[in-house]
Amino acid sequence: MRTTVGIVGAGPAGLLLARLLHNAGIDSVVLESRDRAYVEQRQRAGILEQGTVDVLRAAGAAERMDREGLRHDGIELRFAGRRHRVDFPALAGGRSVMVYAQTEVCKDLIALQLEAGGPLLFEAEALAVEDADTDHPRVRFRHEGVEDVLECDYVVGCDGFWGVARQAVPASLTRVFERTYPFGWLGILADVPPSHDELVYARHDRGFALLSMRSPTVSRLYLQVPEGTDARAWGDEEIWDELERRLETDDDWRLERGPITQKSVTPMRSYVHEPMRHGRLFLAGDAAHIVPPTGAKGLNLAVGDVVTFARALAHRRGTGSAALLDAYSETCLRRVWQAERFSYDMTTLLHPAPDATPFEDRLQLARLERFASSRAAETDLAEGYTGFPFG
């Protein structure tokens, strides 16, 4: 099998890249180790930056998002019983974000790919990326019990942190930057309308809490828990009681409860792999970088990566110049490190550390007070949350 771009992984990054390449008249093949049902059901991110929304619309992949997604023009910060709203359009040049789950983005892009795109092979396990430093890289994979080879001009690894693409970059050329946090997020899905019409980020002495949503009838909520927590150790009423404590305010706001349909614990870490390119292998998304979910940046960073690659390859085709492809890693990493910085700031702003001193607790509150009293501080938060420019 032969193609111009071999894409390893059919998450939102790989699927969107296939769509962008198709629209540019460039052929590709997508290899995904899981089956279609798994890809369309795995729960991940739910916040789309303005830039991501714009890219999906330009790619012709936004019809259902625009119909069913929830535009949000701000978030609420809660601390010491107080509530402070950050107004995105007023602070960030009219930009906003969209609540639309990654599962739905994948469903939309899969439907488009199967209808009008190139080959999308489910249950096709990539075994190795070979000859990445030559003009003819290849992906060895297994599909329907048979090993095969996909010969390419370029390979883009969108196969996540545990995938094979990054393993093709020689260790001697690699630098890794990493931080693991001593807490995680206990997340729930609940069949109950959201208790607030925008996301609520709450800093409490007992730990962080987040009130989010998936739809007008489904709530997504999170609690800061110690690293290594087992979600099964928390009873449903215990979760609701703790959420109520951490989200409490000085006014008459109330948390609505409902049946919990899913529980899981997400570890918190920051990770960057440099470089993001080796020869004709390009890494995108979690294959190259991970952010703690506090800043809602993971999916959006992956979108930035594949937009950068698609533009660079189209430029190569149109002009004969490989300058943008050669600059891929440097271009992406500028945005990646800004997102890492923003996500780290949000995480350390809102999560009391297990060993925090009273001095550090007061510093957190002072930082939050700054957002409530300074338009300049609010503007930096709004610009970061709604997204850094692509490229």
Side-chain angles (χ1 to χ4, degrees):
M1 187 181 297
R2 196 178 194 316
T3 190
T4 300
V5 181
I7 301 171
V8 186
L15 292 166
L16 177 59
L17 176 57
R19 181 66 180 173
L20 296 174
L21 295 175
H22 172 77
N23 290 348
I26 301 171
D27 61 295
S28 68
V29 173
V30 183
L31 304 176
E32 168 55 46
S33 63
R34 302 283 192 162
D35 62 25
R36 180 177 179 178
Y38 180 90
V39 175
E40 293 185 340
Q41 292 171 9
R42 55 186 169 194
Q43 292 291 331
R44 294 291 190 273
I47 304 296
L48 308 183
E49 295 175 353
Q50 183 71 65
T52 297
V53 170
D54 293 343
V55 166
L56 289 171
R57 286 173 177 159
E63 180 182 351
R64 195 161 66 94
M65 178 195 73
D66 283 332
R67 185 172 67 249
E68 300 178 11
L70 306 174
R71 171 178 162 147
H72 279 204
D73 287 336
I75 58 172
E76 183 172 287
L77 300 176
R78 291 190 184 179
F79 58 100
R82 297 175 51 191
R83 305 170 63 178
H84 177 75
R85 182 175 185 268
V86 180
D87 185 332
F88 291 158
L91 297 162
R95 288 185 291 167
S96 60
V97 297
M98 182 79 75
V99 176
Y100 191 63
Q102 174 175 314
T103 50
E104 307 311 310
V105 174
C106 287
K107 289 175 187 176
D108 297 342
L109 290 169
I110 287 171
L112 287 169
Q113 184 73 4
L114 294 178
E115 177 185 346
L120 167 54
L121 304 183
F122 291 104
E123 299 181 85
E125 179 188 5
L127 304 174
V129 176
E130 300 173 340
D131 300 328
D133 56 349
T134 74
D135 291 343
H136 303 287
R138 22 188 278 155
V139 183
R140 214 162 26 85
F141 68 99
R142 182 185 297 111
H143 184 232
E144 297 180 344
V146 177
E147 282 201 21
D148 203 345
V149 172
L150 177 62
E151 298 181 348
C152 323
D153 293 331
Y154 306 92
V155 176
V156 182
C158 304
D159 52 344
F161 182 78
W162 301 106
V164 302
R166 191 176 65 250
Q167 299 172 22
V169 182
S172 60
L173 303 179
T174 295
R175 294 189 69 194
V176 169
F177 304 85
E178 189 170 15
R179 179 186 179 93
T180 301
Y181 299 86
F183 43 75
W185 277 10
L186 170 63
I188 64 167
L189 277 176
D191 286 336
V192 60
S195 299
H196 193 61
D197 55 1
E198 293 178 333
L199 272 69
V200 176
Y201 287 78
R203 188 270 180 202
H204 193 277
D205 288 343
R206 296 176 64 91
F208 168 76
L210 171 61
L211 187 160
S212 182
M213 64 281 296
R214 282 293 178 264
S215 74
T217 59
V218 177
S219 293
R220 182 76 160 150
L221 301 105
Y222 299 91
L223 286 169
Q224 176 185 346
V225 293
E227 181 184 18
T229 293
D230 184 346
R232 295 170 297 184
W234 284 72
D236 291 6
E237 289 307 307
E238 184 182 10
I239 291 172
W240 286 118
D241 289 346
E242 191 63 25
L243 284 165
E244 199 165 75
R245 291 188 194 100
R246 298 188 192 183
L247 290 163
E248 65 185 356
T249 63
D250 291 338
D251 57 20
D252 59 356
W253 179 87
R254 292 292 179 267
L255 177 67
E256 298 296 328
R257 302 186 180 207
I260 294 175
T261 60
Q262 186 181 110
K263 301 178 195 175
S264 61
V265 173
T266 301
M268 305 281 280
R269 64 192 302 229
S270 301
Y271 175 92
V272 179
H273 177 283
E274 296 186 3
M276 290 177 57
R277 177 199 177 187
H278 172 58
R280 292 200 170 197
L281 167 65
F282 299 77
L283 303 179
D286 286 1
H289 43 72
I290 294 172
V291 289
T294 325
K297 288 283 165 275
L299 181 154
N300 297 290
L301 272 183
V303 169
D305 295 342
V306 298
V307 167
T308 300
F309 176 80
R311 287 176 179 172
L313 187 54
H315 181 76
R316 171 68 183 265
R317 286 224 160 176
T319 68
S321 170
L324 296 186
L325 285 171
D326 292 341
Y328 171 82
S329 184
E330 180 183 354
T331 301
C332 290
L333 284 169
R334 281 197 297 270
R335 189 168 186 270
V336 166
W337 277 112
Q338 284 302 317
E340 292 283 355
R341 185 270 308 169
F342 178 80
S343 299
Y344 173 83
D345 286 350
M346 288 285 284
T347 301
T348 57
L349 171 72
L350 294 161
H351 294 74
D355 58 352
T357 65
F359 178 82
E360 290 166 326
D361 287 338
R362 288 300 182 97
L363 279 183
Q364 277 189 324
L365 292 172
R367 290 170 66 192
L368 286 159
E369 289 280 2
R370 180 67 175 164
F371 289 116
S373 61
S374 167
R375 186 176 179 86
E378 272 194 302
T379 298
D380 185 61
L381 190 156
E383 290 179 345
Y385 199 97
T386 55
F388 302 103
F390 296 151

